[in-house]
Amino acid sequence: MIDTASLAPAFDAVSAAFPGARPAWGMVLGSGWSEAASGFETLGELSYADIPRFGAVGVAGHAGRLLWGRRAGVEAFIFRGRRHLYEGVGLEPVIMPVYLAKRFGAKAMLLTNAAGGLRKDWAPGELMVLADHINLMGVNPLIGPHDPFWGPRFPDQSAVWSPRLRKMLFEAAAAAGVALREGVYLAGSGPTYETPAEVRAFRTMGADAVGMSTVPEAIVANAAGMEVAGVTCITNMASGMLDQPLTHAEVTETTARSMEKMRALLLAFADRFASTAP
């Protein structure tokens, strides 16, 4: 389990940069999602490189900046980009957004990502609300000595993905005119893409999309008592489903084409979340 004492310098750095910050929620913008935060009033901005134990991102499509923003009168911490387990930096930077959001008093997290589709009837560019997840990353961020900051020793995962926030996402999508799927997200460690045999296995397991992120953040946020929601941009068909190799360029190109609906969904969600915030 991540020792929060080691993360305290990160809290101190953000507190110094954003005096008086009181985010009601946090949002992590994954691969290709970084520009979807436009539409928030900027109250402050800080590079991940200036936050101890966080560090600069190492993947294209991630801006690597923390935005302290406000929309509809409600503050949010918007993490434009994420760190990944496959970068070899450990789990501290991966779960840093959840730590900072919770430490500043946020009650909810919205996690976004890009993923390969496992359904032949879905097309690249479609958006999927996470209804559940499968963790095949080979690690759990709560392993280790128990730290009460992260909740109970054995947290329940019956409803990691908040039904209330999922309903709010579908309401936001309807208001914004954005089509949404719903499904199960499977996370592997990466950085390799999956093999065709793995894709067949994942489909048999009930997964609808496969990626390399998001699950560690969801596990710790849920354990810590936060509401969690997630949205995936299906950027490509997973390995073996089409007769072509997989590339990260395809991921960034698809999210760029889908940016307007991604932004519309997030802003409509922010407005609805604000209307329910205390």
Side-chain angles (χ1 to χ4, degrees), residues 75-258:
E75 294 180 25
F77 272 3
I78 303 167
F79 296 85
R80 300 177 62 229
R82 64 158 44 90
R83 306 303 306 276
H84 296 81
L85 183 66
Y86 60 70
E87 294 178 57
V89 293
L91 279 165
E92 287 185 351
V94 175
I95 60 87
M96 181 67 78
V98 177
Y99 166 77
L100 289 173
K102 178 176 168 60
R103 187 75 193 274
F104 275 87
K107 304 298 184 183
M109 292 293 298
L110 176 62
L111 309 173
T112 70
N113 61 48
L118 298 174
R119 296 276 298 271
K120 292 182 178 180
D121 55 334
W122 293 6
E126 294 199 71
L127 303 181
M128 182 191 87
V129 173
L130 275 69
D132 207 343
H133 71 257
I134 298 171
N135 181 15
L136 289 186
M137 301 185 83
V139 67
N140 187 303
L142 297 177
I143 289 175
H146 181 232
D147 186 331
F149 179 88
W150 299 117
R153 169 79 277 192
F154 303 106
D156 176 63
Q157 291 198 114
S158 300
V160 173
W161 304 95
S162 163
R164 185 181 81 94
L165 296 186
R166 283 157 51 196
K167 180 174 181 289
M168 199 178 294
L169 279 167
F170 279 99
E171 292 171 347
V178 175
L180 276 185
R181 302 285 193 173
E182 187 172 42
V184 175
Y185 174 85
L186 184 148
S189 66
T192 55
Y193 290 111
E194 60 284 343
T195 69
E198 288 169 339
V199 166
R200 292 193 296 273
F202 297 163
R203 292 174 64 186
T204 300
M205 294 171 69
D208 299 295
V210 57
M212 308 173 189
S213 69
T214 305
V215 168
E217 300 102 294
I219 289 174
V220 295
N222 172 71
M226 303 177 80
E227 281 193 283
V228 185
V231 183
T232 289
C233 180
I234 303 295
T235 54
N236 55 274
M237 292 295 98
S239 181
M241 297 183 68
L242 296 176
D243 187 20
Q244 63 187 53
L246 303 182
T247 68
H248 190 63
E250 185 178 5
V251 172
T252 55
E253 289 167 5
T254 302
T255 51
R257 290 195 302 270
S258 304

Side-chain angles (χ1 to χ4, degrees), residues 18 27-29 34-35 37 42 44-51 54-57 62-68 77-83 97:
F18 301 159
M27 178 164 57
V28 178
L29 300 179
S34 288
E35 300 310 313
T42 299
E45 197 166 3
L46 189 64
S47 170
Y48 291 1
D50 295 327
I51 302 175
F54 206 176
V57 297
H62 295 257
R65 300 189 69 82
L66 168 57
L67 173 69
W68 172 27
F77 272 3
I78 303 167
F79 296 85
R80 300 177 62 229
R82 64 158 44 90
R83 306 303 306 276

